[in-house]
């Protein structure tokens, strides 16, 4: 027992020593490989030692490691050996330095077979793949090494097929390797180099990958050997035989389950693997072996595709392959037939290849690779006559000749050319050798020409021919075929096939080929005998146009539904993901995609809409053929211009390009549409479309439509007028042509109208349609065209601009879609267009308002607001522009414009108010109570959550609907305001209730919105109502009485912008001016004393509005004066009803509201006579006086206010009557005036110590004198104050020193003792001001006066208990 344990330990130690030696050898090879890799072997002086190292050390060590069964060590050593071999290959691409070139590496690589035979499967696969990829990239050394290694590579690939054949492709390990891996997992994995190279190297390679690698290696070596076959068969016959056996059915192959490495019958071989092996079959077997192996594949594929069995082939084995679709069977069929054809001609004893080709030709669907292979097979068939008739084959494959796929067209042409050669129609060699300019004499020769045109991929920039040479050759070949048709070398029986080939040529994405193809169509369709050519062209045009329109209609909807941009491509083909769903690993998916790509190749053909244009040009190339079929063409033209299923019109650049080609067809082929003029419904519809196209944005479209209409010989459009109108559509000649295009009757010939008066409306409407696109450009180089168009339209009568008005409202007009995809054959005038005509004529009367409101509601115009549509805002902008430039013309169309605007205004107001209420509810929502005990002071998460919750609560999230509705409401209100100003005499009563309900909420927020750079929208509409005598009574209604006070609040808003304040002041000035004019016209209305007490019945509406809203207007003026006088500083108005600007608002409004207050003061001055002199003295003066109490009052603003105050206070001789009572009491009037004067005197007295500028102090003196007329205290010191400010024009600095010093002399102690305290206050304020001055004489006089005041105060024992407040002008805080 002890001896056995010792022996086991010794064996384990030996195994560990062997593994360590293997790893050391691998690391050594890695170092050498790294040295060789540097600069691709440029540092190597001699490669023979390296080759000896590989041959004598690396390969024997690899063989030993593989025999020892150390999986990890063998994999590591194999990977390092392969790396060294690849480094040597990369260094031998050319003879340079130590490198001997490809020949040298080929000799050395012949000894590297052990590196494949003894390496793990994964490492062998990676090594061969690396050599193959290098050879594909053009490495000559890799190709030479791969060719030298083929005797060892072929058995290796066969071994990979055996190991992975029954696997599911999940990369599972073999049994032996799994044992080694489990044993080695316990070892130390700390070494980096052993980790990288041994990763997954011993796992089984999937048979799909091995089969694909086999085909790729054969393709590379065949290309290097000049297309030679049987490469594998010559290098490794045994491996080739095993690979060929894999291509046969398991029933007839005679292979046992053991040789297959598993139970093959349990699951059929995937079709993709069969396809990969069949590709390599010509290199693995001789002709008989290939034919035997492909028989099973062909029989199975034909059976899977539903074709009849072929005599001479074995019965179909359903277990031969597993195919998920007919595409897999088609791929196997193409690969098998291609291998069969490449093996050589058919033996004379079999006579089965022609029948196989015939079965392929009879298959339905598109199988381009199978058709090409069938053509090659038919060329080597022993009995080609079995293929059948050439004419039948052409008829059967004609639809493939116009396929969008170039490979499908090439397959069909190759097949038909092979059939023609087999049936004796032409000799293939002679047909291919014929020159491009040689005129073909038969249809078979034409097919050979078309094959040359289609088999070249013009987009292949790597291996394709010279594109220009090919384009020229293709043009000449097509021209030769056209010449054959014109010379009757080809009969009518070739018309359908030639037209199908020409239709296929329109898919060739090479513009130089298209003109020759169109000329061929012109020759084919010109004569009636070639009617099948026209039929083929028309049917293809019809089907292709339907596809274009359907794709156009679904593009926007699909993009919105799928979340993609319009035009983004996605693969919606059926079965496009079938391989992805059924395959479990990337290798199988890659092989499946490769099989589909090579069997059903795709290429970039002509773009869909571009090909539609090519087809239309082909139709236009033969006007004779088009004239023979006017009705079908007209039907297609109507279908192209019909609305989409949802009723909306089609548009877009591609669609307009197609319309351009259609108009050319109509102009040249249908005589402008005149050929269908007599057809019931069709003619009128074509004419309506042409008239609509006259207003197209593109000048060439409009010109084509005009020239088409010119051929109709209409009464209002002669051919000459059509030519002139076509020049109007051209921007380069529009202005000059409009000058001479007169519709007014003139006396001389040069001023004669172009049309008769009876035809003027129709002609003018057509011209207006032509000018509509020019009205869309407001700026840039096209702006003068807009001016010229508007000038010409302004000469028309209002009923003649119906197309212009309809273009503004037509986007909102309801459209009726197509039912079940049917296209309406006619296009009738719309109900809105008819209603516009009636409205312009004036015959509708007052009922038109009700009619248009009903039509607007039926069209659900209100539903467009907030739906994301730009139609409402676009309409309002267009209507506003129309009102600006054509105000008088639009008066006849106010009903439709107002109806649409009112509906939009109501809908937008509802959305905005709902959003405002929701926002207010969020702001008023109480915060949830928070328990202080639950708040963690060390964690600020709760605080962040609370802040986020508050921000969310305060955030308004109305969405896009609210933003759009706000924009629409603003535009609608501004448009209504402009409408009221331009057309005040219009009857707005049917729309007033809806307008008022929408404007009132906006008026409530007018003051808050007045800070914007533009006036609030509601301000414009209220101002427009107030500034017109006809509309102003609407503001006196009970439901609108609050609108004007809201406007005055916007005037007095502390943050109001200059624009908003100017607009409000303009309204006030307009009311005052109209009231003054009315008062001058009716002087008796003022009453005896001119105080405006004549009663409301005789007053003007402006005077009534001013009197009714005088308090709010005065408060607004007071606040406006305070905001302006503050000049951006923090203003406080003691006792004012309207709070002044806050510190934040004043800072924001600094420099904006600052400036002269002349307009506000002028309004206050002019209000006095309108409100009564007594009212002016009390109310207006009380408005002005609080403004003077502002701190840091601007001196210029104070001078203006003081001047206004002096102007509004009446003299003593006037009849003071502050009340509208017709029988006032003089005593009460005098008492009221005395009280007001006392208030004003108290407010003015501190200003004598605060104001500094001469202008302001003189204005203060005048205001004090005006107050002194009603106040004894003010009168007692008025003379002294005037003396303090006396001026003399001839004295120094304009100061009258004698008068001023004399005034100081009057201020004796006796005067101070006898004067009322209220009289002393302004004098003392002035004295304190003078003491701060720079004039020494006046300062001494002021000091003496102050001393006398102090003496008088001491002698009198005080000032009767009344404190005297003196203002120091250097103390900001008083």
């Amino acid at each position: 027992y002890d001896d056995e344990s010792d022996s086991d330990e010794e064996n384990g130690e030996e195994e560990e020593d062997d593994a360590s030696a293997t790893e050391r050898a691998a690391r050594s090879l890695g170092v050498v490989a790294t040295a060789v890799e540097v600069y691709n072997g440029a540092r190597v002086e001699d490669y023979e030692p390296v080759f000896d190292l590989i041959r004598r050390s690396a390969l024997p060590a690899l063989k030993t490691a593989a025999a020892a069964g150390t999986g990890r060590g063998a994999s590591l050593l194999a990977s390092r050996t392969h790396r060294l071999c690849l480094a040597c290959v990369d260094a031998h691409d050319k003879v340079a330095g130590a490198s001997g070139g490809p020949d040298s590496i080929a000799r050395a690589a012949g000894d590297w077979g052990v590196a494949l035979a003894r390496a793990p499967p994964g490492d062998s696969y990676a090594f061969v793949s690396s050599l193959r990829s290098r050879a594909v990239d053009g490495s000559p050394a890799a190709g030479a090494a791969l060719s030298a290694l083929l005797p060892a590579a072929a058995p290796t690939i066969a071994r990979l097929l055996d190991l992975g054949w029954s696997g599911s492709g999940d990369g599972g390990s073999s049994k032996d390797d799994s044992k080694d891996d489990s044993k080695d997992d316990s070892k130390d994995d700390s070494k980096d180099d052993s980790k990288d190279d041994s990763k997954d190297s011993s796992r089984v390679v999937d048979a799909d990958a091995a089969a694909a690698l086999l085909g790729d290696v054969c393709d590379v070596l065949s290309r290097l050997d000049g297309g030679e076959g049987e490469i594998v068969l010559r290098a490794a016959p045994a491996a080739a035989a095993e690979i060929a056996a894999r291509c046969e059915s398991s029933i007839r192959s005679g292979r046992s389950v053991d040789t297959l490495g598993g139970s093959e019958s349990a699951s059929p071989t995937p079709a993709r693997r069969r396809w990969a092996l069949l590709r390599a079959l010509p290199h693995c077997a001789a002709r008989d072996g290939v034919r035997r192996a492909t028989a099973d594949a062909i029989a199975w594929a034909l059976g899977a595709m539903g074709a009849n069995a072929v005599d001479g082939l074995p019965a179909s084995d359903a277990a031969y392959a597993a195919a998920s679709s007919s595409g897999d069977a088609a791929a196997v069929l193409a690969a098998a037939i291609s291998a069969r054809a490449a093996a050589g001609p058919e033996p004379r004893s079999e006579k089965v290849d022609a029948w196989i080709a015939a079965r392929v030709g009879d298959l339905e669907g598109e199988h381009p690779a199978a058709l090409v292979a069938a053509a090659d097979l038919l060329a080597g068939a022993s009995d080609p006559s079995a293929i059948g008739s050439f004419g039948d084959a052409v008829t059967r494959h004609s639809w493939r000749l116009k396929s969008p796929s170039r490979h499908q067209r090439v397959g069909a042409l190759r097949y038909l050319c092979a059939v023609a050669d087999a049936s004796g129609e032409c000799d293939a060699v002679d047909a291919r050798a014929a020159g491009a300019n040689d005129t073909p004499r038969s249809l078979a020769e034409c097919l050979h020409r078309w094959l040359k045109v289609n088999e070249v991929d013009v987009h292949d920039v790597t291996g394709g021919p010279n594109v220009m040479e090919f384009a020229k050759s293709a043009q000449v070949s097509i021209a030769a075929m056209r010449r054959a048709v014109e010379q009757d070398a080809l009969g009518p029986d070739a018309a359908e096939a030639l037209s199908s080939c020409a239709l296929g040529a329109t898919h060739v994405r090479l513009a130089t080929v298209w003109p020759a193809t169109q000329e061929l169509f012109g020759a084919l369709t010109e004569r009636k005998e070639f009617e099948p050519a026209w039929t083929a062209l028309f049917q293809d045009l019809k089907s292709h146009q339907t596809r274009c329109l359907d794709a156009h209609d679904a593009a926007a909807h699909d993009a919105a539904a799928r979340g993609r941009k319009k035009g983004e491509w996605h693969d919606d083909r059926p079965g496009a993901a079938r391989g992805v769903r059924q395959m479990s690993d990337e290798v199988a998916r890659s092989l499946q995609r490769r099989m589909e790509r090579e069997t059903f190749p795709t290429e970039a053909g002509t773009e869909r809409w571009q090909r539609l244009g090519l087809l239309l040009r082909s139709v236009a190339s033969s006007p004779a053929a088009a004239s023979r079929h006017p009705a079908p063409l007209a039907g297609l033209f109507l279908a192209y211009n019909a609305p989409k299923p949802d009723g909306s019109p089609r548009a877009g650049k591609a669609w307009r390009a197609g319309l351009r080609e259609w108009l050319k067809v109509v102009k040249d082929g249908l005589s402008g549409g005149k050929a269908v003029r007599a057809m019931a419904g069709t003619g009128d519809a074509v004419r309506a479309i042409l008239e609509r196209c006259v207003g197209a944005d593109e000048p060439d479209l409009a010109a084509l439509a005009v020239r088409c209409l010119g051929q109709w010989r209409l009464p209002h459009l002669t051919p000459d007028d059509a030519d002139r109108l076509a020049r109007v559509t051209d921007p380069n000649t529009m202005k000059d042509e409009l000058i001479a295009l007169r519709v007014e009757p003139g006396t001389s010939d040069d001023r004669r109208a172009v049309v008769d008066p009876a035809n003027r409306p129709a002609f003018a409407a057509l011209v207006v349609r032509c000018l509509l696109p020019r009205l869309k450009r407001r700026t840039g180089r096209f702006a003068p065209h807009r001016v010229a168009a508007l000038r010409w339209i302004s000469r028309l009568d209002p009923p003649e601009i119906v197309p212009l008005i309809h273009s503004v409202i037509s986007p909102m007009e309801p459209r009726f879609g197509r039912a079940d995809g049917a296209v309406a054959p006619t296009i009738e005038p719309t109900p809105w267009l008819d209603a516009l005509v009636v409205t312009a004529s004036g015959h509708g009367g007052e009922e038109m308002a009700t009619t248009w409101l009903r039509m607007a509601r039926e069209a659900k115009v209100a539903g467009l607001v907030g739906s994301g549509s730009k139609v409402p805002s676009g309409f309002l902008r267009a209507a506003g522009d129309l009102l600006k430039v054509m105000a008088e013309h639009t008066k006849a169309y106010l009903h439709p414009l107002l109806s649409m605007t009112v509906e939009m205004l109501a809908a937008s107001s509802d959305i905005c108010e709902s959003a405002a209420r929701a926002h207010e509810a969020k702001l008023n929502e109480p915060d949830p109570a928070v328990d202080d005990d639950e708040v963690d002071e060390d964690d600020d998460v709760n605080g962040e959550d609370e802040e986020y919750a508050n921000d969310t609560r305060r955030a308004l999230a109305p969405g896009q609907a609210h933003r759009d509705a706000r924009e629409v409401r603003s535009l609608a209100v501004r448009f209504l305001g402009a409408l009221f100003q331009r057309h005040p005499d219009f009857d707005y009563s049917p729309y007033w209730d809806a307008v008022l309900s929408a404007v009132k909420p906006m008026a409530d927020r007018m003051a808050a919105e007045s800070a914007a750079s533009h006036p609030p929208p509601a301000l414009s509409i209220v101002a427009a109502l107030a500034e017109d005598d006809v509309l102003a009574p609407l503001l006196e209604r009970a439901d609108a009485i609050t609108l004007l006070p809201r406007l005055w609040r916007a005037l007095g808003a502390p943050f109001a912008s200059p624009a908003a304040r100017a607009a409000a002041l303009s309204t006030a000035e307009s009311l005052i001016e109209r009231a003054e004019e009315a008062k001058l016209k009716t002087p008796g209305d003022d009453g005896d004393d001119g105080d405006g007490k004549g009663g409301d019945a005789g007053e003007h509406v402006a005077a009534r509005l001013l009197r009714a809203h005088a308090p709010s207007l005065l408060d607004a003026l007071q606040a406006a004066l305070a905001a302006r006088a503050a000049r951006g500083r923090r203003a406080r108005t003691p006792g004012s009803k309207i709070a002044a600007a806050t510190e934040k608002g004043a800072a924001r409004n600094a420099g904006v509201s600052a400036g002269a207050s002349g307009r506000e003061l002028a309004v206050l001055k002019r209000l006095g006579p309108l409100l009564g002199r007594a009212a002016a003295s009390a109310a207006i003066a009380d408005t002005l006086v609080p403004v003077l109490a502002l701190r840091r009052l601007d001196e210029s603003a104070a001078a203006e206010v003081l001047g206004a105050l002096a102007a509004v206070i009446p003299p003593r001789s006037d009849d003071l009557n502050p009340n509208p009572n017709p029988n006032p009491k003089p005593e009460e009037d005098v008492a009221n005036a005395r009280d007001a004067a006392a208030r004003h005197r108290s407010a003015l007295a501190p200003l004598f110590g605060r104001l500094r500028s001469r202008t302001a102090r003189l204005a203060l003196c005048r205001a004090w004198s005006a107050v002194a007329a009603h106040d004894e205290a003010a009168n007692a010191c008025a003379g002294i104050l005037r003396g303090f400010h006396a001026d003399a024009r001839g004295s120094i600095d304009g100061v009258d020193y004698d008068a001023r010093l004399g005034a100081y002399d009057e201020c004796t102690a006796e005067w101070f003792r006898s004067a009322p305290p209220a009289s002393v206050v302004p004098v003392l304020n002035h004295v304190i001001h003078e003491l701060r001055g720079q004039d020494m004489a006046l300062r001494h006089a002021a000091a003496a006066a102050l001393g006398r005041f102090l003496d008088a105060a001491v002698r009198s024992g005080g000032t009767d208990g009344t404190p005297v407040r003196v203002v120091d002008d250097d103390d900001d805080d008083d």
Side-chain angles (χ1 to χ4, degrees), residues 1106-1362:
L1106 289 173
R1107 187 181 299 277
H1109 305 293
S1112 58
L1113 176 59
L1114 293 176
D1115 290 343
L1117 291 172
Q1118 174 187 344
L1121 288 171
R1124 283 189 180 274
R1127 281 196 180 275
R1129 299 180 180 272
R1130 185 172 182 178
R1132 295 176 183 174
T1133 308
S1136 65
K1137 296 181 180 180
I1138 300 179
T1142 62
E1143 183 177 359
K1144 177 180 178 181
R1148 181 185 64 182
N1149 211 23
V1152 175
S1153 296
S1157 304
R1159 293 186 67 181
E1160 291 90 340
L1161 297 176
V1163 169
L1164 286 171
K1165 293 177 184 178
R1166 297 169 66 183
L1167 273 177
L1170 297 177
L1171 301 179
R1173 303 305 299 270
S1177 177
I1180 300 177
D1182 289 340
T1183 301
L1184 294 173
V1185 168
V1187 179
L1188 299 173
L1190 296 174
R1191 296 181 181 181
R1192 299 289 188 182
L1193 184 67
D1194 182 77
E1195 300 269 336
S1196 61
E1200 294 178 357
V1201 175
L1202 291 169
L1205 181 63
V1208 299
I1209 296 178
R1212 180 185 295 273
S1213 60
D1214 286 355
D1215 182 16
L1216 303 179
N1217 184 13
N1219 301 317
N1221 185 6
N1223 299 315
K1225 295 180 180 180
E1227 295 80 4
E1228 295 180 1
D1229 295 342
V1230 172
N1232 292 336
R1234 188 181 300 112
D1235 295 339
R1239 294 194 305 272
H1240 302 159
R1241 178 245 306 154
S1242 299
L1244 295 179
L1247 297 181
F1248 283 99
R1250 179 178 300 171
L1251 298 180
R1252 300 181 181 182
S1253 66
R1254 180 179 298 180
T1255 303
R1257 298 186 70 83
L1258 290 177
L1260 177 61
C1261 289
R1262 288 192 290 268
W1264 187 271
S1265 299
V1267 173
H1270 306 281
D1271 185 75
E1272 294 180 359
N1275 189 37
C1277 63
I1280 295 176
L1281 292 175
R1282 285 194 298 270
F1284 286 160
H1285 299 84
D1287 291 336
R1289 181 170 299 180
S1291 63
I1292 300 175
D1293 294 333
V1295 176
D1296 190 348
Y1297 284 97
D1298 295 338
R1300 294 194 179 191
L1301 294 176
Y1304 279 110
D1305 293 339
E1306 294 181 12
C1307 297
T1308 61
E1310 183 63 25
W1311 184 88
F1312 282 118
R1313 286 195 298 270
S1314 62
S1319 302
V1320 176
V1321 172
V1323 174
L1324 291 179
N1325 277 295
H1326 177 78
V1327 167
I1328 296 301
H1329 165 73
E1330 203 72 78
L1331 290 175
R1332 302 294 184 184
Q1334 298 179 357
D1335 195 307
M1336 296 298 297
L1338 296 179
R1339 287 174 61 184
H1340 283 294
L1346 181 60
R1348 290 191 291 271
F1349 166 74
L1350 294 176
D1351 293 341
V1354 171
R1355 293 176 183 177
S1356 63
T1359 57
D1360 299 335
T1362 303

Side-chain angles (χ1 to χ4, degrees), residues 389-401 412 415-417 419-420 425 443-444 447 493-498 500-501:
S389 171
F390 172 71
D392 295 340
V394 171
T395 303
R396 194 163 53 248
H397 292 275
S398 60
W399 66 273
R400 290 191 172 100
L401 299 177
Y415 182 81
L416 290 177
C417 291
V419 172
E425 287 290 330
L443 177 60
L447 294 179
D493 54 343
E496 183 178 1
L498 284 178
S500 298
C501 292

Side-chain angles (χ1 to χ4, degrees), residues 810-828:
S810 60
M812 298 172 292
E813 187 173 5
R815 299 178 177 88
F816 301 96
R818 297 172 293 178
D820 300 329
V823 180
T826 60
I827 299 179
E828 299 292 342

Side-chain angles (χ1 to χ4, degrees), residues 629-716:
H629 308 85
L633 284 177
L636 277 184
F637 179 65
L638 294 179
Y640 188 82
N641 289 274
K644 292 189 289 188
D646 60 354
S648 59
R650 294 189 175 94
K653 182 178 181 180
W655 184 85
R656 291 194 299 270
L659 179 61
R660 183 180 297 106
E661 301 300 333
W662 259 118
L663 290 176
K664 293 178 182 178
V665 172
V666 173
K667 182 175 74 71
D668 299 331
L670 299 180
S671 300
K674 184 180 178 183
V676 296
R677 182 177 184 178
M679 296 182 183
T682 303
D684 295 338
V686 171
R687 177 181 171 182
I689 291 174
L690 293 176
E691 291 180 348
R692 186 181 65 191
C693 293
V694 167
D697 292 340
E698 290 82 354
D700 55 345
L701 283 178
L704 284 171
V706 169
R707 296 189 185 281
C708 289
L709 288 174
Q711 301 181 40
W712 285 62
R713 304 289 181 176
L714 298 173
H716 62 278

Side-chain angles (χ1 to χ4, degrees), residues 442-575:
S442 64
L443 177 60
E445 294 183 10
C446 292
L447 294 179
H448 278 282
R449 303 292 179 87
W450 284 115
L451 178 59
K452 293 180 181 180
V453 172
N454 287 275
E455 68 182 356
V456 175
D457 186 4
V458 295
H459 303 285
D460 186 6
V461 297
T462 58
N466 186 288
V467 177
M468 298 307 297
E469 293 180 1
F470 165 74
K472 186 61 177 178
S473 175
Q475 284 180 325
V476 174
S477 296
I478 298 174
M481 287 184 276
R482 174 182 56 81
R483 190 166 58 249
V485 173
E486 293 173 347
Q487 296 175 1
D488 294 332
L490 298 175
D493 54 343
E496 183 178 1
L498 284 178
S499 60
S500 298
C501 292
L503 290 173
T506 57
H507 289 288
V508 178
R509 200 170 181 179
L510 189 60
T512 54
V513 178
W514 298 337
T517 305
Q518 295 162 14
E519 294 176 0
L520 176 60
F521 268 120
L524 284 172
T525 58
E526 184 177 6
R527 290 183 295 177
K528 191 174 182 180
E529 293 80 5
F530 288 84
E531 189 66 20
W534 168 260
T535 303
L537 175 59
F538 179 79
Q539 292 299 328
D540 193 73
L541 172 63
K542 183 177 180 180
S543 61
H544 191 75
Q545 176 176 294
T546 302
R547 288 193 296 270
C548 289
L549 295 180
D550 291 343
H552 178 273
D553 298 343
H557 180 270
D558 289 348
R562 298 174 183 267
R564 297 190 315 271
K565 295 181 180 179
K566 185 177 179 180
E568 182 179 352
W569 183 88
H570 62 98
D571 193 357
D572 285 339
R573 295 175 300 170

Side-chain angles (χ1 to χ4, degrees), residues 742-747 751-753 757 760:
R742 302 181 180 278
V743 293
E744 306 89 352
T747 56
R751 302 183 65 85
R752 184 176 58 86
R760 171 180 165 170

